[in-house]
Amino acid sequence: MDPDISAFDDDTPMEEEKDYSNHDFEFLQQLELHSAAVKSVATKSISNIDSSGDKRELLLSGSFDNSCKLYMLMEETGKYEFIQELNHHDHYVYDVASNYGEGFLTAGKDKRIFLIDNNGNPEKMFEGHENLVNSVLPIDNKRIVSGSWDGTAKVWDIETTNCLATLEGHLHAVSLFVSPDGRIITGSQDNKIKIWNNSYQLEKEWDAHKDIVRKFADYSPVGFVSCSNDGSIKIWTYEGDLIGELSGHTSYVFSVITLPNNIIVSGSDDKTIKIWKDMQCVQTIECPDTIWDLQVNSLGDIIIACQDYKIYTFTRDPTRAAKGKELSEFRANVETSNKAGELNVETLPTTDQMDQHAGKKEGEIKVFKDNGIPKAYVWKSSERKWDLIGEVQLPTGPPPPTTKHYEGDRLFEAGEYDHVFDVEIGDGVMRKLPFNNGGNSDEAANKFCVREGFGKQNLEQITQFIKTNSVPYATRDTTGVSSEPSGSSKPKPKSLPMQTYLFYDAVKTDKPAEKIREVNTELNTVEEKNIKNLDRLIEVISDKAHYHSSELFKGEWDVFKKLLSWPYKHILPVLDLFRMFLCHSQASEMFKVYEHGCEHLTKFLSILELKEESMANHLMSLRCLVNMFKHPSSIFIMISKFEKIIDNVADYISHENKNVRNAAITVLLNYSIAFLTRKDDNQGRVQSIACLIEALDQEKDANNYMRILATVGNLLFEDEEVQSLAGDLGLGEKLPSVEAFKGKDIYEKSAKYAEDIKIMLG
């Protein structure tokens, strides 16, 4: 039974029995109840008014899983226990705050603000913002203030829910603070801080940071603190005078709070919490992921809302700090996060030690060392053993050049660039900005602002972003990494290898979504009660600008699985939707369990094996295979199943339809890029070249021909054995002049690729 908290009010704070203020913070507790990133946390002290006199405190969390969760602090342990889940919002919950009266305030992407009581029951709702609400605070017992991505803050009357004032003038998300005398202080993407008097008139504004102003905290009696995407924390008087600046984070600072004795605590995208005293960092706590929000409770414990779906608490009380298994698990999570993507062969268990490392669930993947070579194994629960998947390839030598392809627009030419930056200006939309090291940052920033319709006030910010994230005097090297000894007279390829994966990532959901809904009325695969999950699935896939942050939850995953089970005659729109989703950041989760990933792969291959299937199904299945090169987890499966895939794809290299040929060729092109770091895959390289040699004679489409040349060139690159075998297959004789394509946009690139292939063949 849930604890009854209806008999609590909110006037009496808890008291600490001992002073641990000089101790470092230590890990205390992990709460793992949300199914998406936790964006905000808030605490509220309450006390029992019956004869027991017990004191309690509530914690409320808000998450991207659309829910809030309510917890109670247990006095005997100093830990939180879950009470209930609240689902009064229809979309992401961005902010939660303790109200001055009873209960909490919550704000979300559904553009609404709620006042809920201590039991989690919604009592008031405030509507009027034109975009999502990202911040909310009480002003006093009668008013609250909210900040939105519509660039405004709004003041609301709690009793009537009427809007009393709209504070305009910011850009995009607005952050909030209320001074002790009731003035409202706002910050935003425009890097400014504004102070509004008690009549809601602008009193002062200034350029406070070099990037987005994220959060504020009280710094009584002196003033307040702000934090920013520029990585800094600044201390201001209530009149706006700068009196201190703290630097030390290596990424965005998303949250800041203060503790007694003017101690400042900051949380960052660099996965650390920093404790600041007397303008110095006195402790850094490493966490498993990005810290979105911070809070302190009445025991002096720090609470953090984390990107990894969890809430963590830290205490200065050594008698309550976690020990044993809990502490070991937290440290392991931090270690895993810090070493993400790294593989230390020296510390891997050996194959002789497999019995000591039994798997925990079917399909779990683990790497073991076999005579010094790392190999991946999958756990078979029914047989209680590890089955070999294949050798794990480690990068050798210098990393390949990191140029990226940009499709081009009216101001930036299509081609390869040293950087294609994702630029986010505070509205959650990622915009592409191509740039070459050593280029003119002012010119690039100006083009970007013109293309996006931004005013000149953004120009300096974008210019500084480019300078910070590029190499000012570097020159581009497009020759690749040569393994030849110095002094070799053999010419080097000038344009190969091509190292940027290609994808079919256009997002157009209207037609497939319409068809899916139409077919579903016939098949009734998705029942009426789950239609909202289907709608949200389509909404997430439609919103490409938020692929970096949006997520699917269990209901949407279940709908996707049902759709993929449709008969082949109906499956085309589902394949199209799946093709788009493969480019979503969360698609990687589908392939982390090897067997589950293979199930999806089998779906595409089974369609290709049925030659009597519709051409449209063949085309979409091939495009799905191309997009499986988007994430490391799915690339692993593509490599492990190469032989079976190539047997099916080869039949479509000479298909009568040029779009089908294009998709089949692009599968091989992406394989050739994956093979660049796998020097032992000669059989796969030669098999791929053999598929393409005949196509060099037959292909008449300029774009397809260029992709064939790029693929063949990649497969030959820096591998004399493959070059020799390709020569024996007659590749040299199959390289005609590309004059037939002269005048086409890609003629020049095709000619360069052909010349590089001739160089490699000798």
Side-chain angles (χ1 to χ4, degrees), residues 389-402:
I389 297 174
E391 186 176 326
V392 178
Q393 299 300 313
L394 299 177
T396 58
T402 56

Side-chain angles (χ1 to χ4, degrees), residues 351 354 357-369 374-392 590-599 633 636-637 640-641:
T351 50
M354 283 182 168
H357 297 273
K360 297 180 180 179
K361 60 182 180 180
E362 180 74 16
E364 178 184 347
I365 294 175
K366 190 173 182 65
V367 180
F368 293 91
K369 203 166 39 176
K375 295 182 178 180
Y377 292 80
V378 62
W379 178 251
K380 300 288 187 181
S381 297
S382 59
E383 303 174 37
R384 298 291 300 169
K385 71 171 187 176
W386 293 100
D387 269 10
L388 178 66
I389 297 174
E391 186 176 326
V392 178
M590 306 177 73
F591 302 98
K592 287 185 177 177
V593 177
Y594 183 76
E595 290 184 345
H596 294 172
C598 288
E599 288 178 11
S633 57
F636 185 88
I637 291 174
S640 69
K641 297 294 183 180

Side-chain angles (χ1 to χ4, degrees), residues 35-68:
S35 58
V38 186
K39 286 291 292 181
S40 185
V41 285
T43 60
K44 189 171 198 63
S45 293
I46 56 178
S47 59
N48 195 334
I49 59 175
D50 64 19
S51 58
S52 69
D54 287 343
K55 299 175 181 178
R56 288 290 186 268
E57 183 171 298
L58 299 176
L59 168 67
L60 184 71
S61 58
S63 166
F64 271 5
D65 64 10
N66 304 357
S67 77
C68 295

Side-chain angles (χ1 to χ4, degrees), residues 233 249 253 255-257 264-268 272-274 276 294:
I233 300 116
H249 282 292
V253 183
S255 188
V256 62
I257 57 172
I264 295 172
V265 183
S266 55
S268 168
T272 70
I273 304 167
K274 289 187 180 290
W276 308 84
L294 294 165

Side-chain angles (χ1 to χ4, degrees), residues 410-574:
R410 63 189 179 91
L411 293 174
F412 293 95
E413 294 182 1
E416 304 299 313
Y417 289 80
D418 292 319
H419 309 277
V420 179
F421 296 120
D422 285 319
V423 180
E424 188 258 335
I425 61 155
D427 58 356
V429 177
M430 288 295 180
R431 298 167 172 86
K432 298 295 184 183
L433 170 55
F435 187 75
N436 285 323
N437 290 329
N440 188 322
S441 56
D442 293 318
E443 179 183 347
N446 187 61
K447 285 183 178 180
F448 179 84
C449 290
V450 170
R451 189 192 70 191
E452 299 297 333
F454 295 152
K456 293 295 183 182
Q457 70 272 17
N458 296 98
L459 187 60
E460 183 179 349
Q461 178 186 355
I462 301 299
T463 302
Q464 186 57 47
F465 173 88
I466 295 171
K467 290 179 178 178
T468 302
N469 292 280
S470 63
V471 182
Y473 307 109
T475 57
R476 302 182 67 206
D477 177 10
T478 59
T479 62
V481 181
S482 174
S483 61
E484 296 181 35
S486 59
S488 171
S489 59
K490 185 177 180 180
K492 298 178 181 179
K494 296 180 179 179
S495 299
L496 292 169
M498 178 180 173
Q499 299 180 83
T500 304
Y501 290 112
L502 300 184
F503 304 107
Y504 296 99
D505 55 1
V507 174
K508 297 179 181 178
T509 60
D510 291 348
K511 289 185 178 180
E514 180 183 351
K515 189 64 178 178
I516 286 171
R517 292 187 177 102
E518 176 187 325
V519 173
N520 189 63
T521 59
E522 175 187 339
L523 301 180
N524 196 31
T525 306
V526 182
E527 300 173 351
E528 184 64 32
K529 64 181 181 180
N530 293 321
I531 287 296
K532 66 177 182 180
N533 292 326
L534 172 60
D535 292 340
R536 187 172 183 278
L537 168 65
I538 294 169
E539 177 188 351
V540 168
I541 294 175
S542 301
D543 192 6
K544 186 177 180 181
H546 290 90
Y547 273 15
H548 64 291
S549 60
S550 61
E551 298 183 44
L552 293 187
F553 306 120
K554 186 179 184 301
E556 291 93 60
W557 283 117
D558 290 343
V559 165
F560 225 152
K561 291 176 183 176
K562 290 180 179 179
L563 295 178
L564 286 166
S565 69
W566 276 4
Y568 288 162
K569 67 178 181 178
H570 295 306
I571 205 169
L572 178 61
V574 181

